[in-house]
Amino acid sequence: MQKIIGPFIQLLDMSGLPLKGAIKSDQLKIIQHAAVVVEEGIIVATGKFTDLAHQFPKAVLEEMEGDYVLLPGFVDCHTHLCWDGSRANDYAARLDGKTYLEIAEAGGGIWSTVTHTRQSTATELIKKTVQRANHHLKNGVTTIEVKSGYGLSVEEEIKILQAIKAADQTTKADLIPTCLAAHMKPKDFNGSNIEYLEMLVNELLPRIKDEKLTNRIDIFIERSAFSKEEALYYLQSAKLLGFDITVHGDQFSVGGSEVAVQVNALSVDHLEASGEKEIQMVAASDTIAVALPGASIGLGMAFTPARKILDKGGALAIGSDWNPGSAPMGDLLTQACILGAYEKLSIAETLAGLTTRAAAALKLNSIGSIEKCKLADFQAYPVDDYRAIFYHQGSIKPSKVWKRGVEV
Ligand code: NIG
Ligand code: FE
């Protein structure tokens, strides 16, 4: 069945924009009094409402009453949604002046979430992941990357990746799993960092392949986690097995971005600590820089130097990093608006970071823009000018969200 959805006072299709570099807001294509024609969850046409009504006379009308602006569904290319337990105590300790790394060393941090997540049943983890994904979906996020990384043993990582897969079958959002078993060396592993990574390469990665749990591998390169050399061994081994790579890099200290570029990672995420050298290197590469303002806000730390990355010609996506430790808020649009205000990002750059460029970070070309042949994933805001969405810094939420052409 074909249907025509509209009219929308403005439709921003995000077509024709460059993958890399700065974008001025006048480069955004805005269709006024627009509509979308959808069939079987796929976009068939976009254009003026009156033109499409003529061209598709048999299409069923899903009429919009009132003024709405239509945007592509947002793509959150970096989350850790699958966890159990709370880290409110870590947060309070940070407000009392302790640092993220000090709290981790004192037994809080990632390890405390690992302990709670290991105690959780698969059913409970699926339920929590679906709840969080549905919350995102209601706020217009139609595709969500979800990392493991709170299991940190072969069986526990498999449990989490299976839970993400099951959650994907329950929520209407699309979940894209990533294995982050290299989040840190678990405290109960009897051996060195490199021995832990060797164990993952020999035992976990082949199982992930066999069970088709994900084709994406991530690692946290940091003093408290893995060194550049250790990461290089792990990522090169993963690449040989055919995995795509993404990296948590330059969050507190530099080094991770260099490894990411060296292994031609799809993205390097965080970069809050990156200096001129790292910015230049990432911007000149094919690796997409992912800013995670939710982590900067959650930790009370600097933002990713997004403006500099764009001005040097880099590709910049924006993710929520939704996790119980550094980024508990989980409101992608609010975070992106705040990053935009501090870093002076044009609305076009922020929007590209939430749509086309985030889709590219996940190597997905079927999403991110409202164009013929792409998935009919979009969201309508109750405003008459798209700029109002950013002006309100995330407090205006979409009135309607469609996933594969169906309102959710
Ligand atoms: O992206 N930095 C590493 N991992 C997460 C935090 C995970 C946690 O604190 O539980 C991040 O910020
Ligand atoms: Fe993260």
Side-chain angles (χ1 to χ4, degrees):
M1 183 192 73
Q2 256 180 6
K3 63 176 177 180
I4 175 165
I5 310 174
F8 297 100
I9 195 139
Q10 294 179 333
L11 185 161
L12 277 72
D13 67 7
M14 298 307 287
S15 70
L17 295 169
L19 174 63
K20 296 186 70 179
I23 317 174
K24 293 267 180 270
S25 277
D26 60 12
Q27 287 176 258
L28 285 172
K29 187 174 123 205
I30 303 167
I31 312 175
Q32 317 275 355
H33 303 288
V36 197
V37 179
V38 171
E39 187 171 1
E40 305 283 334
I42 305 292
I43 297 166
V44 173
T46 60
K48 292 270 186 204
F49 179 75
T50 43
D51 296 349
L52 293 177
H54 265 103
Q55 276 174 43
F56 297 89
K58 292 205 185 103
V60 174
L61 175 63
E62 194 173 309
E63 194 176 359
M64 298 297 296
E65 283 166 19
D67 289 345
Y68 291 97
V69 169
L70 194 73
L71 301 183
F74 293 145
V75 178
D76 192 347
C77 62
H78 182 138
T79 84
H80 308 244
L81 286 193
C82 189
W83 85 82
D84 204 349
S86 162
R87 300 253 292 281
N89 50 345
D90 283 16
Y91 191 77
R94 281 205 300 278
L95 298 183
D96 287 337
K98 295 265 182 300
T99 68
Y100 181 81
L101 294 178
E102 281 166 0
I103 292 165
E105 275 153 24
I110 296 169
W111 185 246
S112 107
T113 300
V114 171
T115 309
H116 284 100
T117 306
R118 284 182 178 180
Q119 282 161 5
S120 196
T121 63
T123 315
E124 193 57 32
L125 279 181
I126 295 165
K127 191 173 126 201
K128 293 199 158 133
T129 305
V130 169
Q131 271 169 2
R132 294 174 189 129
N134 286 346
H135 181 83
H136 243 16
L137 184 61
K138 203 178 76 198
N139 289 340
V141 186
T142 46
T143 301
I144 310 166
E145 187 258 15
V146 185
K147 300 174 194 299
S148 66
Y150 293 123
L152 307 189
S153 70
V154 172
E155 291 315 319
E156 292 294 327
E157 284 290 311
I158 295 278
K159 178 179 97 182
I160 294 176
L161 289 167
Q162 284 172 343
I164 297 169
K165 195 172 183 175
D168 178 49
Q169 280 150 15
T170 310
T171 174
K172 293 213 163 56
D174 282 328
L175 305 188
I176 310 298
T178 302
C179 174
L180 179 57
H183 207 174
M184 63 180 271
K185 185 186 78 175
K187 290 187 193 282
D188 58 356
F189 181 81
N190 200 358
S192 64
N193 273 4
I194 205 78
E195 283 165 340
Y196 176 65
L197 295 175
E198 277 168 359
M199 185 279 289
L200 297 181
V201 170
N202 295 327
E203 297 175 35
L204 180 64
L205 302 196
R207 271 193 67 186
I208 289 175
K209 275 256 122 141
D210 285 351
E211 296 185 33
K212 295 192 170 53
L213 290 173
T214 178
N215 58 356
R216 295 168 45 85
I217 296 294
D218 194 351
I219 187 167
F220 186 21
I221 304 177
E222 193 49 65
R223 291 195 200 106
S224 60
F226 297 98
S227 70
K228 276 166 44 176
E229 296 70 28
E230 290 159 355
L232 207 53
Y233 153 74
Y234 182 62
L235 297 178
Q236 280 169 342
S237 307
K239 280 194 83 160
L240 283 176
L241 291 169
F243 288 100
D244 286 331
I245 305 300
T246 176
V247 169
H248 275 73
D250 297 6
Q251 185 179 12
F252 302 104
S253 58
V254 295
S257 56
E258 193 184 329
V259 177
V261 170
Q262 208 174 333
V263 301
N264 201 17
L266 289 177
S267 74
V268 56
D269 306 28
H270 277 296
L271 305 175
E272 295 91 334
S274 299
E276 298 297 331
K277 176 176 149 235
E278 290 76 24
I279 293 169
Q280 181 69 50
M281 185 179 52
V282 172
S285 76
D286 290 332
T287 299
I288 295 178
V290 179
L292 303 168
S296 302
I297 298 165
L299 297 172
M301 293 181 70
F303 288 109
T304 302
R307 181 72 267 147
K308 286 186 176 172
I309 293 169
L310 289 163
D311 287 344
K312 290 264 189 254
L316 183 94
I318 304 169
S320 74
D321 200 14
W322 197 358
N323 74 72
S326 62
M329 182 209 287
D331 187 332
L332 179 61
L333 177 60
T334 298
Q335 295 163 358
C337 289
I338 293 170
L339 175 75
Y342 277 87
E343 281 291 310
K344 306 285 176 259
L345 305 183
S346 71
I347 291 177
E349 288 164 338
T350 300
L351 251 179
L354 295 170
T355 58
T356 47
R357 291 173 171 186
L362 297 178
K363 219 166 91 176
L364 295 174
N365 53 24
S366 59
I367 54 168
S369 60
I370 307 180
E371 291 181 274
K372 195 176 167 184
C373 296
K374 298 227 177 183
L375 294 189
D377 293 358
F378 31 72
Q379 43 170 341
Y381 286 81
V383 293
D384 59 10
D385 177 335
Y386 74 94
R387 291 174 298 190
I389 301 166
F390 298 87
Y391 170 55
H392 288 276
Q393 297 191 310
S395 64
I396 298 183
K397 301 298 181 197
S399 306
K400 290 171 189 267
V401 179
W402 291 262
K403 181 68 197 163
R404 294 174 193 251
V406 179
E407 195 185 327
V408 294

